[in-house]
Amino acid sequence: MSELIEVKNLRIAFSIEGRLSVPVRGVTFSVPRGGKVALVGESGSGKSLTALSLSGLVDRAQISGEIVGRPRISYVFQNPMQSLNPVMRVGRQILEGTDVPRSDRQSCLANLLESVGLPAETARKYPCQMSGGQQQRVMIAMALAQKPDLLIADEPTTALDVTTQKEVLDLIFKVAAERSMAVLLITHNLGLVSAYAEYVNVMYAGEIVESGPVAEVLVHPRHPYTRGLIAAVPRLDLEKDAPLADIPGVVPPPWNWPSGCAFHPRCPEAKPECANHGFTCPAMS
């Protein structure tokens, strides 16, 4: 399968009050044509910033590395109420920025809304007249109106209830399959990755620490951070009073990454040498 877009050694840095912050450090991954790829990690790992850089949407940053391929990209973000204009009817927002002739706008709108499971009359509604799931369907229709080669779904179900989450994700990947469209799913939930993605990149502290086919990474994880994320996925086969697994601590700030393996301050398997400059986790060698 040929690559739709390749990211090579991407580095994104900001100068903030004279202090250098590097939230993305040497990230390399690719998305094949029609592929289903996930970028996974906790908040603060650099996932969203990496995704925004694919379309040149990162301002006032020092960016180096290489992005090969310039596909048409659309985004679906995590909170549709913040993404939609509250004083504009959703039909107008869906077609904003497209070149659809005025004479074809109504039929185009109806087709887009139908493709995301909404009736044509939805076009005349304002965002406040819709549920969170309906708003996110409008965001998907808006993304599809641009006829993308790659849809970036950045935590698209965070603000939704569990049932609606599944409906929205099922819809995204159903439409992607129908249109031979690639999807880059950004999430912290490896349960979603196992259900929808084919390939996964695990990101921590601005770096990709592990990547591979989903079945391989989830069954035979090598990096301690990946194992920690898998252990943190809630399981239905445990006793109801069983404690939930977690990873102690938080992702450090990008102006103060730890030396050596960035995960070592939180890693249950850490050894003194893990803090050495240039150290690579043996699990990844």
Side-chain angles (χ1 to χ4, degrees), residues 184-203:
L184 177 61
L185 174 64
I186 298 175
T187 182
H188 61 272
N189 189 333
L190 282 173
L192 299 182
V193 172
S194 66
Y196 294 100
E198 302 164 340
Y199 200 91
V200 60
N201 300 280
V202 181
M203 196 166 181

Side-chain angles (χ1 to χ4, degrees), residues 1 4 32-36 148-151 172-183:
M1 187 181 295
L4 178 65
R33 295 185 184 279
K36 311 297 181 285
D149 305 302
L150 171 62
L151 178 67
I172 288 174
F173 285 90
K174 173 179 175 291
V175 173
E178 292 171 350
R179 300 184 176 219
S180 299
M181 179 176 66
V183 177

Side-chain angles (χ1 to χ4, degrees), residues 99-247:
D99 56 0
V100 178
R102 183 175 294 273
S103 59
D104 297 334
R105 291 177 71 85
Q106 292 305 315
S107 61
C108 181
L109 262 177
N111 289 336
L112 284 167
L113 289 168
E114 181 184 5
S115 71
V116 297
L118 293 174
E121 55 266 26
T122 303
R124 296 196 54 77
K125 291 186 176 182
Y126 291 95
C128 64
Q129 297 175 301
M130 309 173 72
S131 68
Q134 291 171 329
Q135 292 170 3
Q136 198 62 295
R137 288 172 183 264
V138 167
M139 291 301 301
I140 297 169
M142 188 183 302
L144 296 177
Q146 306 300 324
K147 300 179 180 178
D149 305 302
L150 171 62
L151 178 67
I152 297 179
D154 189 352
E155 300 276 11
T157 61
T158 298
L160 306 177
D161 63 80
V162 175
T163 301
T164 308
Q165 285 181 18
K166 185 177 187 307
E167 291 175 354
V168 168
L169 285 169
D170 285 348
L171 174 62
I172 288 174
F173 285 90
K174 173 179 175 291
V175 173
E178 292 171 350
R179 300 184 176 219
S180 299
M181 179 176 66
V183 177
L184 177 61
L185 174 64
I186 298 175
T187 182
H188 61 272
N189 189 333
L190 282 173
L192 299 182
V193 172
S194 66
Y196 294 100
E198 302 164 340
Y199 200 91
V200 60
N201 300 280
V202 181
M203 196 166 181
Y204 183 78
E207 302 174 310
I208 290 179
V209 297
E210 184 165 0
S211 61
V214 168
E216 179 181 315
V217 171
L218 297 189
V219 175
H220 301 292
R222 295 179 293 159
H223 199 281
Y225 180 62
T226 308
R227 294 198 288 272
L229 290 178
I230 293 172
V233 175
R235 293 172 50 187
L236 297 178
D237 60 340
L238 297 178
E239 295 293 332
K240 65 177 182 179
D241 295 328
L244 294 175
D246 64 356
I247 302 174

Side-chain angles (χ1 to χ4, degrees), residues 9 14 36 41-42 44 63-64 72 76 87 94 106 113 125 158 213 217 230 233 235 250-251 254 264 269 275 285:
N9 199 31
F14 297 89
K36 311 297 181 285
E42 295 168 279
I63 302 178
S64 60
R72 187 184 293 270
V76 176
V87 298
I94 289 172
Q106 292 305 315
L113 289 168
K125 291 186 176 182
T158 298
V217 171
I230 293 172
V233 175
R235 293 172 50 187
V250 296
V251 180
H264 83 264
E269 304 172 31
S285 60

